[in-house]
Amino acid sequence: MTEKQLLLGDHAIALGALHAGLSGVYAYPGTPSTEITEFIQMSPLAKERGVHSKWCTNEKTAMEAALGMSFVGKRALVCMKHVGMNVCADPFVNSGMTGVNGGVVVVAADDPSMHSSQDEQDSRFYGKFAMIPTIEPSTQQDAYNMIQDAFELSESLKLPVLMRIVTRLAHSRAVVEVKTEARKCNSISPAENWRDWVLLPVNARRKNDSLTALQPKLKELSNNSTLNIDCKKGSPKQGIIACGIAYNYVTENLADMPEYDILRISQYPLPTEKICAMATRCQSILVVEDGQPFVEEQLLGILPTAIKIEGRLSGALPRTGELTPDNVRKALGLSAHEHEEACELVVPRPPALCQGCGHRSVYEAINTVIREKYPDAKVFGDIGCYTLGALPPFSALSSCVDMGASITMAKGASDAGLQHAVAIIGDSTFTHSGMTGLLDAVNANAPITVVISDNLTTAMTGGQDSAGLNKYEAICLGLGVDRNHLHVVEPLPKNMEEITRIIAQEMEYRGLSVIIPRRECLQTLNRKLKQKKSAK
Amino acid sequence: MKRDIILSGVGGQGILSIATIIGDAAMNKGMYIKQAEVHGMSQRGGDVHSHLRISDQPIASDLIGQGCADIVISMEPMEALRYKSALKKGGWIVTAKAPFVNIPNYPNIDAIYAELGKLGNAILVDAETIAKENQMTRSVNMILLGAAANALGLDIETLSASVARIFGSKGDEVVAMNVKALQLGAEVK
């Protein structure tokens, strides 16, 4: 039996995973992946089955916990935004070496055009790097179906499988036909050969050989995969390879194409036989892929080929930024649809910190102290709502690189002789990746001022639980921060005098200090009040 | 029947609720739907938009190309103009009239109205005033949706049924108010 549901791509993945007999989802929130885990947290089926869905502290702890669940024989899902793959790269790559027992699927949600990210990296490279299969759905229906295929593939190969999606699939809704019954969850059945899981060199060498030896089989699976579809009409001179969501932008234009020869790729490693077959019947191949030129580069190699390869590298498509129906249409040689020019009156409307947000008071205080006492000071920022402090009216930040980098960069700058270095980091980012850096700073007694701007939630992604809630003073003291230089303040306009005094005093101090301005995020506070009201 | 719709506004103005209602209505008519949303950083008071496509034939792309939108529904006049180049020749703009000024360089509002006027098929809805007069300040988005119903090719009964389904959990009062908002919107000429 099936039924139709209107689902976000993220929701389709979540429901597909539940229907595949998922026992646990492990994730740290990150746009555009967050809604996968949230869907499972709200799912009655997940509740009934006791599916684990609590947020993890970061992507590395998530990946490792999933591997543990797999070791015991159950199916686990790991979800993250693309840059989360960097954080979990160590266990992710090594999970290819250990292999899996219960199925493991890792969903990496890429963000071409960086709608809410700091880079445009393409997670397909990670699948190739770890030498495991990668699945790339085109539609929400694919996402629902393929996550189930991916769990089957994972258990049959005894390897983790990577599913790569992009923002426009994750955050787009469509009607999806879904099953009304779910596969049973696996029962406990721990892996039998412990040597497979102990990556001492003696075991790792053997596993490396077997993973390498498996590669031709993965290629053969791709060649025979029903996910890699040929779609042909007539005998055009140009073949088209369209990966994942790019296939939608190509097929959108089919009505205007008298003939076409398209290979959709949704399973990697690349189906080399299918590609070679296309090369024998075409004079050129256009590669349409969202993200980086992953396929195009592999087809090009270094030495000249008889067949012309076009795509992002040749200039047929823009080198960076996401694909659109318009730039794909142009690459297909079709003329643009008639349209009006953009209106010059319209000005950008950048996002801003909410009116009344605690982060605002924190930046006002820091800026006041710097302006009045330490004009040479630098403020190192981090990832979260408070990154918006880089924009006017605050213009407070000198850097924002990756989760946790505020503390470690402030320390490095201080090591180099910068007199007054301030780090500003949110509560959730601090537990994600800031704690280890703070220990470095403690051990060096680095003369930096660390501001943990605590709004009791992971606000940027919509108010998910913050792993260190109510534990920040204990964490700092436990790491060795001097009790006399650890302050908690309430960032309200009426407390500005006290806050600026404490910041000034600690910037003057030639050792490590931590200041925790703490006030609940207005968005989560309002949501709680609304829930309370509707409960009455 | 096929409609490519761009919904626009400022984060928090309720364009996603409009999208949800249209999506539900289309689904109940057995139509295909694709709706691309914007989540994350852009929601903090920045401009937001959603591409909504409904059709009785399968839909390929999640995004609407330049010059392909049948209608732009906007909660804010400048945000309506932002998508001028997406609009098909002869396409409709249905926008709320009241500007949302949260930036220092917001353009002259009369110039915005003049530009909208040049487009021919533009309906400016004083949704905020209608909402105030009827004590329904939180249903501005549904007034706008009612005003767009004709251009959308969806009747008020179909949309009202969707409002009842989507807002049902919030109680009968909320449903009744939003249905009334749709009707008031539909009366705007």
Side-chain angles (χ1 to χ4, degrees):
Chain A
M1 286 280 284
T2 60
E3 61 179 355
K4 284 183 174 174
Q5 288 191 24
L6 184 58
L7 297 173
L8 273 184
D10 276 351
H11 294 165
I13 289 170
L15 190 58
L18 285 169
H19 286 173
L22 185 76
S23 291
V25 59
Y26 294 91
Y28 181 80
T31 311
S33 71
T34 312
E35 293 81 359
I36 303 172
T37 305
E38 286 184 329
F39 184 93
I40 297 173
Q41 288 172 341
M42 301 298 287
S43 156
L45 176 65
K47 203 158 281 171
E48 181 193 313
R49 293 184 158 193
V51 175
H52 175 279
S53 63
K54 196 171 161 52
W55 291 108
C56 299
T57 304
N58 66 34
E59 294 85 354
K60 180 173 179 288
T61 68
M63 182 70 217
E64 290 157 350
L67 209 52
M69 179 168 268
S70 163
F71 175 86
V72 177
K74 299 198 175 186
R75 290 186 168 186
L77 178 68
V78 193
C79 313
M80 65 199 79
K81 68 182 294 162
H82 58 347
V83 286
M85 290 296 289
N86 305 331
V87 179
C88 83
D90 193 354
F92 172 77
V93 173
N94 286 316
S95 68
M97 295 286 283
T98 58
V100 304
N101 184 24
V104 173
V105 181
V106 178
V107 177
D110 291 1
D111 190 18
S113 275
M114 299 173 274
H115 297 282
S116 201
S117 303
Q118 65 272 40
D119 74 30
E120 208 175 35
Q121 66 184 60
D122 189 324
S123 297
R124 294 177 297 172
F125 285 97
Y126 270 111
K128 188 169 175 0
F129 190 38
M131 298 198 283
I132 63 168
T134 300
I135 302 290
E136 191 183 9
S138 304
T139 66
Q140 291 72 10
Q141 184 71 55
D142 286 345
Y144 173 79
N145 297 344
M146 289 185 191
I147 191 86
Q148 299 174 73
D149 297 340
F151 274 109
E152 290 300 320
L153 187 64
S154 171
E155 280 181 5
S156 70
L157 290 168
K158 293 287 168 197
L159 279 182
V161 171
L162 176 67
M163 176 180 271
R164 185 247 187 174
I165 59 170
V166 295
T167 301
R168 297 304 183 179
L169 177 72
H171 284 173
S172 175
R173 274 174 223 278
V175 179
V176 181
E177 195 166 337
V178 303
K179 296 175 185 163
T180 49
E181 276 175 25
R183 175 189 177 277
K184 275 195 185 130
C185 297
N186 292 357
S187 49
I188 289 187
S189 162
E192 281 167 9
N193 188 355
W194 62 269
R195 285 179 185 84
D196 285 352
W197 295 78
V198 179
L199 294 178
L200 277 167
V202 61
N203 296 330
R205 284 184 204 113
R206 178 176 57 80
K207 293 292 288 183
N208 192 33
D209 287 344
S210 60
L211 179 60
T212 308
L214 197 59
Q215 297 306 302
K217 184 178 177 187
L218 300 189
K219 210 171 264 183
E220 188 194 324
L221 285 172
S222 289
N223 277 319
N224 299 326
S225 171
T226 53
L227 310 186
N228 296 330
I229 312 166
D230 288 301
C231 165
K232 198 166 171 289
K233 181 182 167 193
S235 308
K237 287 179 185 156
Q238 184 185 55
I240 299 164
I241 290 178
C243 308
I245 198 149
Y247 183 69
N248 304 353
Y249 302 133
V250 173
T251 51
E252 179 74 18
N253 291 297
L254 279 192
D256 296 334
M257 295 159 71
E259 47 181 9
Y260 46 81
D261 185 348
I262 305 167
L263 168 61
R264 182 194 71 172
I265 296 181
S266 281
Q267 182 170 343
Y268 306 79
L270 286 176
T272 44
E273 276 176 31
K274 282 188 187 252
I275 295 170
C276 288
M278 177 178 270
T280 60
R281 55 180 192 259
C282 297
Q283 292 169 10
S284 67
I285 293 179
L286 172 69
V287 183
V288 190
E289 53 189 328
D290 220 348
Q292 293 175 297
F294 174 75
V295 174
E296 189 182 358
E297 241 171 16
Q298 291 185 63
L299 296 194
L300 278 170
I302 292 175
L303 301 174
T305 51
I307 189 158
K308 194 175 167 196
I309 307 296
E310 294 181 284
R312 287 183 180 270
L313 292 169
S314 76
L317 285 158
R319 179 66 182 81
T320 59
E322 70 181 341
L323 296 177
T324 65
D326 302 309
N327 59 30
V328 171
R329 192 174 166 80
K330 192 176 166 206
L332 292 171
L334 301 170
S335 59
H337 297 286
E338 191 187 342
H339 64 272
E340 299 245 5
E341 291 304 308
C343 177
E344 284 172 15
L345 267 180
V346 177
V347 293
R349 194 190 297 262
L353 289 168
C354 303
Q355 290 304 322
C357 167
H359 294 316
R360 283 184 173 262
S361 305
V362 173
Y363 280 120
E364 275 163 27
I366 291 173
N367 279 352
T368 303
V369 173
I370 289 177
R371 192 173 55 240
E372 290 175 0
K373 295 200 163 169
Y374 311 108
D376 296 333
K378 296 289 175 204
V379 181
F380 298 89
D382 228 299
I383 313 267
C385 285
Y386 50 95
T387 314
L388 294 170
L391 305 179
F394 305 108
S395 308
L397 300 182
S398 290
S399 74
C400 162
V401 181
D402 69 291
M403 297 285 280
S406 57
I407 300 175
T408 31
M409 282 187 69
K411 178 181 178 290
S414 157
D415 292 343
L418 181 73
Q419 283 295 304
H420 297 101
V422 177
I424 179 157
I425 184 167
D427 49 323
S428 184
T429 306
F430 175 72
T431 44
H432 179 287
S433 288
M435 297 190 293
T436 45
L438 185 62
L439 184 57
D440 281 351
V442 166
N443 289 342
N445 195 26
I448 65 172
T449 309
V450 176
V451 178
I452 304 174
S453 196
D454 181 5
N455 57 8
L456 317 178
T457 187
T458 311
M460 177 89 269
T461 45
Q464 293 77 22
D465 295 341
S466 178
L469 186 70
N470 300 328
K471 300 187 188 84
Y472 290 94
E473 292 92 313
I475 290 170
C476 292
L477 292 171
L479 288 172
V481 173
D482 182 346
R483 191 179 292 272
N484 296 317
H485 295 279
L486 173 66
H487 306 270
V488 178
V489 297
E490 193 180 12
L492 279 170
K494 65 170 183 174
N495 299 334
M496 288 307 275
E497 201 179 316
E498 180 206 357
I499 299 170
T500 45
R501 179 178 51 77
I502 290 172
I503 292 174
Q505 164 198 317
E506 293 305 333
M507 283 177 73
E508 176 70 28
Y509 172 59
R510 295 291 82 201
L512 174 70
S513 37
V514 175
I515 301 167
I516 307 177
R518 175 174 297 139
R519 184 153 68 83
E520 183 161 20
C521 165
L522 290 174
Q523 300 283 343
T524 51
L525 182 69
N526 285 336
R527 196 157 54 228
K528 280 182 197 165
L529 291 176
K530 261 188 205 168
Q531 280 165 356
K532 240 184 214 169
K533 205 176 146 193
S534 66
K536 278 177 190 170
Chain B
M1 200 266 262
K2 171 173 159 293
R3 287 287 186 282
D4 286 339
I5 307 150
I6 290 189
L7 301 160
S8 63
V10 180
Q13 280 191 316
I15 69 159
L16 291 185
S17 297
I18 300 181
T20 308
I21 301 293
I22 300 175
D24 182 84
M27 190 167 139
N28 275 282
K29 292 183 82 163
M31 298 175 82
Y32 294 89
I33 301 160
K34 286 242 173 177
Q35 186 220 330
E37 301 174 352
V38 181
H39 297 201
M41 186 168 254
S42 41
Q43 287 179 310
R44 299 279 176 274
D47 61 281
V48 290
H49 71 281
S50 169
H51 290 223
L52 175 57
R53 313 186 67 194
I54 58 177
S55 172
D56 48 22
Q57 299 297 316
I59 303 165
S61 168
D62 297 79
L63 297 177
I64 299 167
Q66 298 280 79
C68 293
D70 297 286
I71 176 168
V72 173
I73 304 178
S74 181
M75 292 292 292
E76 208 277 347
M78 181 179 79
E79 295 308 325
L81 265 191
R82 196 183 296 281
Y83 302 97
K84 182 182 151 204
S85 60
L87 207 59
K88 178 183 282 183
K89 215 176 173 186
W92 284 84
I93 287 191
V94 180
T95 179
K97 198 175 172 196
F100 188 101
V101 182
N102 64 345
I103 43 171
N105 55 337
Y106 192 95
N108 180 296
I109 188 63
D110 290 322
I112 296 265
Y113 293 149
E115 277 295 319
L116 286 167
K118 280 187 212 161
L119 289 171
N121 295 334
I123 305 178
L124 261 76
V125 185
D126 198 354
E128 214 157 79
T129 307
I130 298 173
K132 265 183 206 150
E133 284 170 3
N134 292 279
Q135 288 90 43
M136 48 171 69
T137 49
R138 293 178 64 184
S139 301
V140 177
N141 54 352
M142 291 300 119
I143 294 172
L144 199 70
L145 176 56
N150 202 19
L152 283 170
L154 294 169
D155 54 53
I156 294 295
E157 289 69 40
T158 306
L159 292 172
S160 299
S162 295
V163 162
R165 269 191 297 273
I166 303 293
F167 292 146
S169 64
K170 296 183 177 180
D172 295 344
E173 246 174 82
V174 174
V175 170
M177 190 170 69
N178 282 295
V179 167
K180 191 177 171 203
L182 284 175
Q183 288 160 348
L184 288 169
E187 286 162 18
V188 175
K189 290 287 171 262

